[in-house]
Amino acid sequence: MLQIKNLTKIYDGGVKALDNVSFDVPDGQFLAVIGLSGSGKSTLLRCINRLIEPTDGQILWNGEDITKATPEEMRRIRRKIGMVFQHFNLVHRSKVITNVLAGRLGYTNPAWGLVNRFPKSDIEKAIKQLERVGIADKANHRADELSGGQQQRVGIARALMQDPEMILADEPVASLDPVLAHSIMKHLEDINDSDGVTVLCSLHFLDLVHRYADRVVALNQGQLVFEGLPKEIDDKKFKDIYGRDAERVG
Amino acid sequence: MNNQKASPWKSIKLGLSVLFGLIVFAYGFQITKVNLEELRSETRQESLVRVTRALANPDLFEYEREEAVINQPFYTPCPENATVPTSDESGAYIVVTPACANPGEIVTVEGFNFAPYSIGPVRFVPGSDITNIVTLGRENAETDGNGHFVLEMEIPDRPSDDVQYIRATIRTNVGSPHLTKTAYDTWEKIVETVFLALLATVFGTLFAVPLSFIAARNLMKPVRSPLTSLSFSLLGWPIGMAVGIFIVRLVSQFIAPFTSNLLVNILLVLIVPALLSVVIRWALPEEDTTIPTSGLRATRFIVLVIATLIGFVWMYQFSALLMNSGNLIAPKLGVFTFLGYFLVQIGDIFQVSIPVVGALAAGSVAGNFFGKLGQNISEKLNSGTVKIINLVSSATAGATVFGLIGWLVEWLYQLGRPEYTQTGPIVIGALLGLLLALTTKPKDTLPTGLVIYYVTRTILNTLRSVEALVMAIVFVIAVGIGPFAGVMALGLHTIVSLAKLYSEQVESIQAGPLEAITATGANRLQTIIYAVVPQIVPPYISYTMYRWDINVRMSTIIGFVGGGGIGFLLQQNINLLNYRAASAQMIAIAIVVSLMDYISSVMREKVV
Ligand SMILES: Nc1ncnc2c1ncn2[C@@H]1O[C@H](COP(=O)(O)OP(=O)(O)OP(=O)(O)O)[C@@H](O)[C@H]1O
Ligand SMILES: [Mg+2]
């Protein structure tokens, strides 16, 4: 169970990206985070694994306060939280397999990193994850030789390497075409369904939300403006989330 | 364009500024002693011609020479009763017409049967001693295809009743040309030059790479630590380093009796790593899926400490092995003796650096450990307690750091004034520490990374503005004339300039992968290895090649100030007016520099 309590983030320049946000996510839920560009979706997701330091508030995960964790505790927490990014964030010049293995870094001893060494079991595991997302044949290609959809699969394989209990996906399909978008979303759905991994996924398209999400939270200028089931988003709620002048498309 | 209104004031300003410019220019001319008359003067032009000719004729090849020396008896003035000598026409000979003459008269000297196309002087030998090497007058003879020459010479004012001589010394080149001593010296020095540049580049790169990470803003900015952790870590470093040096001393004393035997060396050097690898595999498991208990952690730590001690034993044995085997084989290697001495030297350097390694290792372990302790204290205890701990630890840390700086100053300058180098700094450090602890909220994090970044950047920028040649002068004073001073100077300059260039590359990497790797739970070291390093390898290689190119250029002139390499020879020859040798060295420099330029550009093209 993930509990967000009165989370506030004020950036150095004074921008209030999150304003007293509170909500809970039960284990195994597929939660969509929606909102306009600049509403604070990325900030929210990054606060959860403290890529961004929250200014105020608490994030409790299975009772442990993530905001108070020491660096060492943070390493242990982060390795259980996989993350998938809009721009994939692969290391371009490294091989696909190395990118996937990097998901294991929270477990491996840093001393062995100096000699670029992973246990055999991890390498087998990496191949298995690549098979699961259907690109095992690309294992020895350089990451930047892959298409966008393939790169995002590598991103998912990397997150899977962490044996995650939760996945944070920040607009995972925003730079992909609709067909690819569905295939990537299906992978996330499968991970959510068969492995019981909690998924927090920010999305721009409501049809994807309706199709994949169990529950939705919506942000507007850093404030939580909606929390509920996808089908509860009626025209009025829609205007609350996206503003008076917004038109529904798709 | 010229649509401004005419104004007398503007014109006056223009006139004044032109005048000012002229004055500056004239002053410049005067202090740089620009004087075209110098160029036009007769002596200057003559020496210019001489130098140019010498430069065009580098001292690289020479022939074995054969000399034909013919002395023709000659009377001046003509004798009254003695007979005029004639020439012996069996071999090479010269005929003087007239056969005798008064001083000051011109005679024709004709040579026959000499080697064809050869040259040499024809001179007057005063006195009756045929072996006299003191001669007067000199004309240059040049034989034709038949070994014949004709020239005219003036008889010097040396009248005598005795016979005197006219001597022709005709020199012929025999065999094929071979290299001169200058050529050999030049070759030797140019090799030294290239290696000087290579060593400086390698050492410079080794140090510049880690430096470039702490001189990169994007990597250092997120590094923040609470005051407790910072001051604990600052205390941990010196304690750890002192302990490290102490332990390494103990190990070296313990191991000293066992280092002289080569067999023991070989045995230990081979066995210890096998043992260590087993131990380290256990103490540093590749992966921890569950959190180890504190008991297990403590055991692992103790095992690692013991492994480190054994590691030091191995290092001492290894250096002893290098030195012993080097000494053993050096006399037996003939031409390759230098390989043996190389081993000895490497072993020596290795041995000297063991205490440094020990101090750094123990310092970083203790610094890290204390830092983590401080971190935990700051996160887990309540604010009031943390504040008190901060006041104490920060004051102690400040006192320690300033005290150490004072000790360094005392050691360097030997002031003998403890109030300036001991009590003073300690009190000031403690007060500053207190002040810092008072002004920061107990659990706030401080931008440690940024402070380190700014300090590093400032040091780098200051050092970078010092010319490598100036550094060479300093090092020549410090370690004496020779290539070692040159390597140190070029190496230092390489470190600071490469660190700057490298760190700019680090700052321009994509942030995405960094973020993604951090999110997996990787620590800073792992993040750098897996997210930063792959992105910077190509520019690093290309900058290193570029720097090697620069170092080759620099090392050719660093000898001018005594830094070794070919510049030393070049400068000597210029000072001795030995322009033909200097020319050989200049040609060598030109060839090496353009070759390096070519190689480095080809290699840069390949990697980027
Ligand atoms: N590093 C930063 N420093 C200062 N302000 C920032 C920073 N990152 C984001 N912001 C601001 O915080 C607000 C929320 O940004 P955030 O990236 O969380 O929005 P988002 O909902 O993810 O938008 P998008 O859909 O475009 O990705 C925006 O106003 C943005 O300008
Ligand atoms: Mg975003």
Side-chain angles (χ1 to χ4, degrees):
Chain A
M1 169 102 136
L2 179 75
Q3 296 162 290
I4 313 281
K5 291 188 173 170
N6 309 104
L7 191 65
T8 300
K9 171 66 192 180
I10 303 170
Y11 279 110
D12 281 344
V15 179
K16 207 170 201 178
L18 289 176
D19 188 358
N20 206 15
V21 173
S22 304
F23 63 91
D24 292 351
V25 190
D27 284 344
Q29 191 167 66
F30 197 121
L31 178 83
V33 181
I34 59 171
L36 280 174
S37 186
S39 57
K41 303 182 294 294
S42 301
T43 307
L44 171 65
L45 293 180
R46 279 171 174 70
C47 278
I48 292 172
N49 61 2
R50 270 177 64 189
L51 287 180
I52 290 175
E53 283 302 325
T55 311
D56 208 0
Q58 280 185 315
I59 301 167
L60 298 177
W61 193 31
N62 303 328
E64 186 178 10
D65 190 348
I66 294 181
T67 57
K68 294 241 159 48
T70 62
E72 212 167 316
E73 288 163 350
M74 209 50 235
R75 173 176 162 87
R76 189 171 41 70
I77 294 170
R78 274 184 185 153
R79 71 188 190 189
K80 284 289 174 194
I81 304 178
M83 192 152 189
V84 180
F85 302 85
Q86 175 181 358
H87 298 293
F88 327 130
N89 290 1
L90 303 184
V91 182
H92 282 177
R93 292 182 50 88
S94 295
K95 282 196 277 182
V96 165
I97 185 89
T98 315
N99 270 291
V100 177
L101 279 168
R104 227 35 216 173
L105 288 174
Y107 295 88
T108 55
N109 198 311
W112 293 105
L114 283 175
V115 287
N116 206 341
R117 214 189 120 95
F118 286 94
K120 239 205 195 100
S121 56
D122 281 354
I123 297 170
E124 283 160 13
K125 193 184 175 99
I127 302 277
K128 228 172 261 158
Q129 305 305 343
L130 283 175
E131 276 164 7
R132 179 165 179 184
V133 293
I135 46 168
D137 55 321
K138 301 280 188 215
N140 285 314
H141 286 235
R142 253 174 62 157
D144 55 1
E145 289 168 2
L146 270 55
S147 72
Q150 289 168 331
Q151 289 197 28
Q152 193 58 297
R153 285 163 214 239
V154 178
I156 290 175
R158 175 172 66 191
L160 283 174
M161 280 302 278
Q162 295 178 235
D163 293 326
E165 289 167 17
M166 174 158 71
I167 285 186
L168 307 173
D170 189 14
E171 294 176 28
V173 295
S175 22
L176 302 174
D177 67 46
V179 181
L180 275 176
H182 275 289
S183 88
I184 294 293
M185 287 309 291
K186 275 187 190 131
H187 280 300
L188 287 177
E189 186 180 42
D190 175 52
I191 293 164
N192 176 247
D193 282 348
S194 18
D195 306 12
V197 175
T198 313
V199 176
L200 272 71
C201 179
S202 67
L203 287 171
H204 266 309
F205 289 104
L206 279 180
D207 59 337
L208 291 178
V209 175
H210 284 290
R211 166 82 175 70
Y212 296 101
D214 300 330
R215 214 167 116 247
V216 184
V217 293
L219 294 172
N220 191 341
Q221 298 199 340
Q223 286 175 331
L224 191 74
V225 289
F226 174 81
E227 188 185 351
L229 300 177
K231 61 173 190 270
E232 289 171 1
I233 304 177
D234 53 25
D235 279 354
K236 184 188 168 303
K237 292 268 160 49
F238 182 83
K239 288 208 186 305
D240 284 346
I241 299 167
Y242 289 109
R244 293 278 140 235
D245 308 327
E247 293 278 347
R248 280 190 101 129
V249 287
Chain B
M1 185 190 147
N2 212 345
N3 50 6
Q4 289 163 323
K5 259 200 283 177
S7 125
W9 174 232
K10 253 198 185 133
S11 308
I12 291 172
K13 259 200 333 200
L14 180 71
L16 281 178
S17 53
V18 167
L19 186 67
F20 179 73
L22 275 178
I23 291 171
V24 170
F25 208 63
Y27 184 67
F29 257 62
Q30 199 204 328
I31 59 168
T32 52
K33 303 210 172 71
V34 175
N35 182 359
L36 292 180
E37 275 309 305
E38 266 298 281
L39 274 181
R40 263 186 238 122
S41 82
E42 188 89 354
T43 47
R44 282 285 152 199
Q45 295 224 330
E46 229 170 64
S47 59
L48 199 64
V49 168
R50 207 154 43 83
V51 171
T52 320
R53 284 206 182 128
L55 288 182
N57 193 6
D59 182 14
L60 289 176
F61 299 104
E62 65 184 5
Y63 288 91
E64 286 299 347
R65 283 203 168 141
E66 222 162 51
E67 271 183 358
V69 182
I70 302 298
N71 291 295
Q72 173 63 27
F74 186 79
Y75 285 96
T76 177
C78 280
E80 280 164 20
N81 39 22
T83 50
V84 175
T86 50
S87 307
D88 169 13
E89 300 190 3
S90 55
Y93 65 97
I94 51 177
V95 177
V96 184
T97 4
C100 62
N102 288 326
E105 278 181 350
I106 306 278
V107 295
T108 307
V109 181
E110 221 176 330
F112 299 94
N113 291 346
F114 285 97
Y117 306 118
S118 306
I119 52 169
V122 176
R123 285 175 290 206
F124 182 83
V125 185
S128 55
D129 181 8
I130 196 168
T131 56
N132 192 358
I133 52 162
V134 179
T135 56
L136 288 170
R138 177 192 167 115
E139 295 295 331
N140 283 321
E142 211 178 318
T143 62
D144 61 15
N146 299 320
H148 170 252
F149 69 84
V150 190
L151 56 80
E152 293 190 333
M153 81 183 284
E154 190 187 337
I155 301 303
D157 190 13
R158 274 300 176 96
S160 165
D161 290 339
D162 284 330
V163 67
Q164 303 189 67
Y165 297 93
I166 287 182
R167 179 187 295 162
T169 315
I170 302 298
R171 300 188 179 117
T172 357
N173 297 334
V174 288
S176 49
H178 59 91
L179 292 169
T180 57
K181 180 163 182 323
T182 308
Y184 281 112
D185 289 348
T186 305
W187 168 251
E188 197 175 285
K189 283 287 169 184
I190 206 85
V191 171
E192 183 182 300
T193 306
V194 172
F195 274 88
L196 196 152
L198 185 67
L199 275 188
T201 314
V202 170
F203 284 130
T205 309
L206 284 182
F207 284 98
V209 169
L211 263 182
S212 69
F213 294 132
I214 55 175
R217 199 191 175 92
N218 56 342
L219 294 187
M220 294 309 278
K221 188 150 184 272
V223 178
R224 298 179 72 94
S225 50
L227 184 59
T228 333
S229 159
L230 180 64
S231 47
F232 270 54
S233 158
L234 278 180
L235 284 172
W237 268 91
I239 294 175
M241 287 174 84
V243 170
I245 291 178
F246 176 73
I247 289 177
V248 170
R249 281 236 179 94
L250 278 189
V251 171
S252 84
Q253 276 164 16
F254 165 76
I255 199 73
F258 308 104
T259 49
S260 50
N261 189 326
L262 193 59
L263 273 179
V264 177
N265 295 158
I266 295 177
L267 215 64
L268 282 179
V269 165
L270 290 181
I271 291 177
V272 169
L275 183 77
L276 277 187
S277 84
V278 175
V279 174
I280 288 179
R281 255 164 221 278
W282 179 79
L284 282 180
E286 283 171 333
E287 219 166 76
D288 266 330
T289 19
T290 53
I291 308 150
T293 62
S294 41
L296 180 61
R297 279 183 167 201
T299 328
R300 278 181 182 169
F301 182 73
I302 293 168
V303 169
L304 276 181
V305 168
I306 296 172
T308 315
L309 291 184
I310 300 175
F312 284 125
V313 170
W314 182 84
M315 284 160 113
Y316 274 110
Q317 286 294 344
F318 184 66
S319 73
L321 173 67
L322 288 179
M323 289 197 274
N324 289 343
S325 57
N327 277 328
L328 192 71
I329 59 172
K332 297 174 187 156
L333 285 178
V335 201
F336 296 103
T337 305
F338 72 92
L339 282 178
Y341 289 123
F342 178 68
L343 281 186
V344 175
Q345 230 135 40
I346 291 283
D348 205 19
I349 293 174
F350 198 73
Q351 190 177 29
V352 171
S353 61
I354 296 174
V356 181
V357 173
L360 286 180
S364 67
V365 168
N368 242 313
F369 181 76
F370 277 54
K372 270 186 190 160
L373 192 69
Q375 182 92 33
N376 281 332
I377 288 175
S378 143
E379 308 256 355
K380 303 295 176 205
L381 300 185
N382 67 34
S383 292
T385 325
V386 173
K387 184 100 187 173
I388 294 169
I389 294 176
N390 275 355
L391 286 173
V392 176
S393 64
S394 165
T396 327
T400 314
V401 170
F402 275 69
L404 283 176
I405 295 175
W407 175 81
L408 188 70
V409 171
E410 171 67 41
W411 183 81
L412 279 176
Y413 300 104
Q414 308 195 308
L415 295 177
R417 301 278 296 271
E419 66 271 27
Y420 288 148
T421 57
Q422 262 175 23
T423 36
I426 288 178
V427 170
I428 292 175
L431 286 180
L432 283 180
L434 268 184
L435 196 70
L436 189 62
L438 281 174
T439 48
T440 48
K441 279 188 212 142
K443 298 199 171 188
D444 265 6
T445 55
L446 300 173
T448 2
L450 272 188
V451 172
I452 297 175
Y453 161 81
Y454 279 119
V455 171
T456 320
R457 268 290 160 110
T458 312
I459 295 176
L460 287 184
N461 285 339
T462 320
L463 281 179
R464 213 161 47 90
S465 61
V466 180
E467 268 300 319
L469 220 54
V470 179
M471 285 186 185
I473 295 174
V474 174
F475 279 111
V476 163
I477 296 168
V479 301
I481 287 181
F484 185 51
V487 171
M488 300 274 277
L490 278 187
L492 184 59
H493 203 259
T494 306
I495 292 175
V496 289
S497 47
L498 274 187
K500 168 93 189 317
L501 290 175
Y502 286 169
S503 63
E504 273 159 15
Q505 288 304 312
V506 175
E507 283 175 356
S508 66
I509 61 169
Q510 293 176 313
L514 211 64
E515 189 181 33
I517 301 286
T518 313
T520 64
N523 73 0
R524 294 207 69 74
L525 178 70
Q526 290 172 315
T527 315
I528 288 178
I529 294 173
Y530 286 94
V532 180
V533 171
Q535 296 195 54
I536 55 175
V537 165
Y540 269 40
I541 291 179
S542 118
Y543 277 131
T544 309
M545 296 299 307
Y546 171 63
R547 187 64 213 185
W548 189 30
D549 198 19
I550 292 180
N551 277 350
V552 170
R553 266 164 235 226
M554 285 301 304
S555 61
T556 58
I557 56 165
I558 209 144
F560 274 71
V561 296
I566 197 161
F568 190 58
L569 216 54
L570 179 59
Q571 192 212 21
Q572 255 182 355
N573 284 324
I574 291 178
N575 285 348
L576 295 173
L577 308 184
N578 194 354
Y579 293 113
R580 286 193 58 208
S583 165
Q585 279 123 37
M586 286 188 213
I587 290 174
I589 290 175
I591 292 174
V592 166
V593 166
S594 45
L595 212 63
M596 281 300 150
D597 185 70
Y598 179 71
I599 294 175
S600 89
S601 67
V602 167
M603 286 178 76
R604 263 186 286 163
E605 243 168 54
K606 283 228 165 110
V607 289
V608 188

